[in-house]
Amino acid sequence: MNIGFQLYQLQEIDTNLDSAKKRIGDIDALLENNVKVINSQDNLEKAKKQFISNTNDFNKINDEVQNKKIKISQSEASLYGGSVKNPKELEDLQLEISSLIKSIQKLDDALLEKLIQLDQSEKLLEKCTEEFIKAKSDFATQNALLMGEKISLSEKIQVIISKRQSTITEIDKSTQEQYGRLRKNKKGLAVAKLQDDTCGACGAGLTASQRQEARSATTLFVCPSCGRIIYGSS
Ligand SMILES: [Zn+2]
């Protein structure tokens, strides 16, 4: 068999092997990459804190309003109950009630503002919860797909390796070494095809006798320009 053709086949096998291995590396990186889950969890924690803080603020103001309302009814009971007769005391009670009413009005404004914030933070919390659930589910789905792909790639690699072993037995050791060195130095492309009258890798023109050598079944022809093995089908 044409030695150049054998090396060309070997290179195809090695290219497939490299790309399968590279994809497994990419898959391993993707399996570890749960940035979206982590980010959405962070957002959810922040939204929870904000919601709790707004709830506490709201309750605090609301308690204050309720306390003042109790105070008003107590003062009103004293004012209209008849137990207090002293005009100065009665006047003080009236002043106290009107001052309490004023401060309740102010607190009601604050309460309304807090209620709006509380409503917003509740909506944000719902949104963040949904996003977190979705991120987790997407991650699980993606990982299941990637794991499936990884398993079939591993099986494919086993097939490629056995194909490589049977191919390489037909190639002598020194040619294997030459191929190995070239493949390493030429970024995976050790063997180029003869394309018309040129080297398929670097495009250098070849003479008629060089092309003849490239088509030879027994000897290897190396491109005088780029140093790669050129294989020409005869
Ligand atoms: Zn070349």
Side-chain angles (χ1 to χ4, degrees), residues 13 15 22 26 28 35 43 55 66 76 79 89 96 103 108 113 115 119 122 132 151 164 167 174 176 192 212 230-231:
I13 290 167
T15 304
K22 188 188 174 292
D26 291 347
D28 284 340
V35 164
N43 290 340
T55 306
Q66 295 314 313
E76 277 176 345
L79 186 63
E89 272 183 55
E96 196 197 0
S103 82
D108 275 343
E113 204 176 304
L115 191 64
D119 189 49
E122 191 178 7
F132 177 57
I151 289 166
R164 190 183 198 279
T167 304
S174 74
Q176 281 180 32
Q212 192 57 42
I230 299 182
Y231 142 69

Side-chain angles (χ1 to χ4, degrees), residues 89-100:
E89 272 183 55
L90 289 169
E91 196 188 345
D92 284 349
L93 278 170
Q94 254 166 347
L95 283 173
E96 196 197 0
I97 290 167
S98 63
S99 142
L100 282 165

Side-chain angles (χ1 to χ4, degrees), residues 192 198-204 206 222-228 230:
T198 63
C199 164
C202 74
L206 300 171
V222 170
C223 173
S225 178
C226 71
R228 291 184 178 90
I230 299 182

